Amino acid sequence: MLRLLWAAAVSWVLLACSHAPQAGTPGRPVTPSRRHVVPMSQATWQAKSAFDAAARAGDVARMTASFSEDALLITPKGDSIRGRNAIVQHIIQLVPDAISASFSFWRDGRFELCRGSGRERISYAAHINYASRSPDSVSGNLSVLWKPDSAGNLKVVWVAFSEQGISGRLGRSECRLQEDSIWRAWRLSISVYPAAAFGGSASSGSFEHTLRARGWVAPEDPRGFGPPTPKTTSTGLHPSLVGIQYHIRRQFVVEVLGGGTTKGSTLGARFLTRVDHAQTKLSYSATFAGALISYEQSGIQLGVGPGVQFARWRLWEWYRPGSCCSSITEVRWSRSPIGVIGDARYHRLILGPLYLAIRVQVRRFPKARTPGTPRFPPALVDQGSSFVGIGLGGVL
């Protein structure tokens, strides 16, 4: 019975992978333009009637013609048989007295479309007729890879009956995915990350550390003027990012990118005497631009490059001696430091040339020194920032 199962499955694969033009009238082949109109995922279904007719007639020549010259068959035990002639001889030896067969089949799961080829996992049932004994019926599962030859006719290049072959993934040499081919061929791409899942600036934490170190952590003022500890807030602009990439070589990419960082502020308070109360607040906002060179492998890019940040700062101090005569000191300035950007990205095509990307980026810039005020000496503030987000891009 196992032998019959194997033989019927092989015959069924030939049926599934025969090209659609065989379904037409003999002597009137379909034109090449017609072949390209029919998607590969449909060609196997359209071929059923033609191959079934050949199987019912016991036409071995028509059945075996569907194999490519160097086709590979993997047996249920995992043994490999290479070449059309060897495969045909193996089939004949398995069922020497079979005269015809008819088939029914179902595709299990989705059709895997490769670049110029395709694979399907199949469940089948076969009814085999013999010359000297009663017919027999068998069923089973298999996996088949097929692609068109130079003339556009679909040929079986790989068929597996082993459990590992049916459920396993094909290597890139066997099935180069269409999306992988698109990505390999791209030259220019644009990606947009409208908002970060996580992002921020190191400036707030850096200034807060200075406030705490200098004692600007006043207890709650009974008059309601001062906060108990430094407060960090983020407002307005959410971290965002836009990048334009160009493929200079197979695994090397250059990118020009820019974006914004979170607007934020840090506030601290201190009692200079029992009655003299002061507050100091540092606010900032920034945009940046940079250029990266990245190494790409298996959809992952790791890059590094220079960047420049355009930051705007505001240092505000409020002072109230006792219960009257408040005064305010305010200083505004800007900086454009040059630093380093480190970047990691994973991308996956989701629809044709469109892709989804997950990106992590860290930016490091020299520390900035704030101006001094009457009650707050200059302080060093970190200007770095970070970004983690999901974006959408397109290959041009």
Side-chain angles (χ1 to χ4, degrees):
M1 179 62 70
L2 290 177
R3 284 184 144 192
L4 295 176
L5 172 62
W6 186 1
V10 173
S11 300
W12 189 90
V13 171
L14 297 175
L15 164 65
C17 300
S18 295
H19 195 261
Q22 293 182 0
T25 303
R28 299 181 60 185
V30 180
T31 62
S33 61
R34 175 62 177 174
R35 291 193 192 104
H36 293 295
V37 170
V38 180
M40 286 188 185
S41 60
Q42 298 179 14
T44 55
W45 300 99
Q46 295 180 354
K48 182 181 184 299
S49 60
F51 190 88
D52 190 47
R56 288 176 184 275
D59 193 337
V60 177
R62 288 176 57 191
M63 294 167 60
T64 57
S66 294
F67 281 112
S68 65
E69 288 290 344
D70 60 346
L72 175 67
L73 185 148
I74 302 176
T75 70
K77 294 183 179 180
D79 298 327
S80 297
I81 300 175
R82 172 73 71 176
R84 175 192 294 173
N85 294 333
I87 292 174
V88 172
Q89 289 301 318
H90 184 73
I91 295 173
I92 293 175
Q93 291 174 6
L94 285 175
V95 283
D97 56 344
I99 58 173
S100 65
S102 59
F103 303 91
S104 297
F105 57 91
W106 306 266
R107 180 179 293 159
D108 292 336
R110 69 182 183 90
F111 180 83
E112 296 178 75
L113 183 62
C114 309
R115 188 66 172 178
S117 62
R119 182 173 82 153
E120 56 184 352
R121 295 178 176 88
I122 298 165
S123 296
Y124 69 90
H127 184 75
I128 305 176
N129 300 310
Y130 300 91
S132 59
R133 56 189 174 95
S134 300
D136 197 2
S137 295
V138 294
S139 61
N141 302 293
L142 59 123
S143 179
V144 59
L145 175 71
W146 43 280
K147 66 173 61 176
D149 60 13
S150 58
N153 299 310
L154 288 179
K155 300 292 183 181
V156 175
V157 296
W158 181 92
V159 60
F161 296 91
S162 66
E163 186 63 31
Q164 183 178 1
I166 294 173
S167 59
R169 297 183 60 182
L170 294 175
R172 288 188 176 181
S173 60
E174 296 172 305
C175 180
R176 191 156 55 108
L177 296 178
Q178 187 177 39
E179 58 192 48
D180 181 60
S181 299
I182 292 175
W183 196 254
R184 284 171 178 265
W186 75 272
R187 281 289 176 260
L188 189 69
S189 74
I190 300 176
S191 56
V192 178
Y193 305 79
F198 170 81
S201 173
S203 302
S204 292
S206 175
F207 192 64
E208 182 174 321
H209 176 77
T210 301
L211 288 171
R212 292 182 182 278
R214 294 182 179 183
W216 287 70
V217 288
E220 187 69 40
D221 185 352
R223 296 166 297 176
F225 293 130
T229 59
K231 291 184 176 180
T232 301
T233 59
S234 297
T235 59
L237 179 67
H238 294 286
S240 58
L241 186 64
V242 177
I244 301 176
Q245 293 192 336
Y246 182 77
H247 227 149
I248 54 177
R249 289 191 178 181
R250 171 66 191 91
Q251 293 175 315
F252 290 94
V253 181
V254 293
E255 180 178 16
V256 177
L257 70 160
T261 63
T262 304
K263 291 182 179 179
S265 61
T266 305
L267 173 67
R270 184 179 182 184
F271 285 100
L272 304 176
T273 67
R274 290 184 59 188
V275 294
D276 296 346
H277 176 257
Q279 293 182 358
T280 295
K281 181 178 181 179
L282 181 69
S283 302
Y284 65 90
S285 64
T287 57
F288 74 94
L292 302 177
I293 181 166
S294 302
Y295 178 80
E296 178 187 333
Q297 184 71 39
S298 301
I300 299 175
Q301 290 183 2
L302 299 176
V304 66
V308 58
Q309 183 164 266
F310 308 97
R312 296 161 293 281
W313 300 85
R314 173 178 175 263
L315 185 65
W316 174 89
E317 184 181 85
W318 175 86
Y319 174 60
R320 183 168 185 171
S323 60
C324 68
C325 309
S326 298
S327 64
I328 295 177
T329 301
E330 183 178 10
V331 182
R332 295 174 183 265
W333 75 98
S334 62
R335 293 286 187 273
S336 299
I338 296 176
V340 177
I341 301 175
D343 187 88
R345 188 178 90 159
Y346 173 76
H347 57 259
R348 184 176 182 83
L349 289 172
I350 54 176
L351 181 62
L354 297 180
Y355 63 85
L356 192 69
I358 300 175
R359 193 161 200 165
V360 179
Q361 194 170 97
V362 178
R363 312 168 194 120
R364 291 291 178 260
F365 298 97
K367 291 185 176 182
R369 184 174 294 276
T370 68
T373 66
R375 275 151 292 276
F376 198 86
L380 284 176
V381 180
D382 196 336
Q383 298 187 88
S385 59
S386 58
F387 176 92
V388 179
I390 300 176
L392 187 67
V395 174
L396 304 179

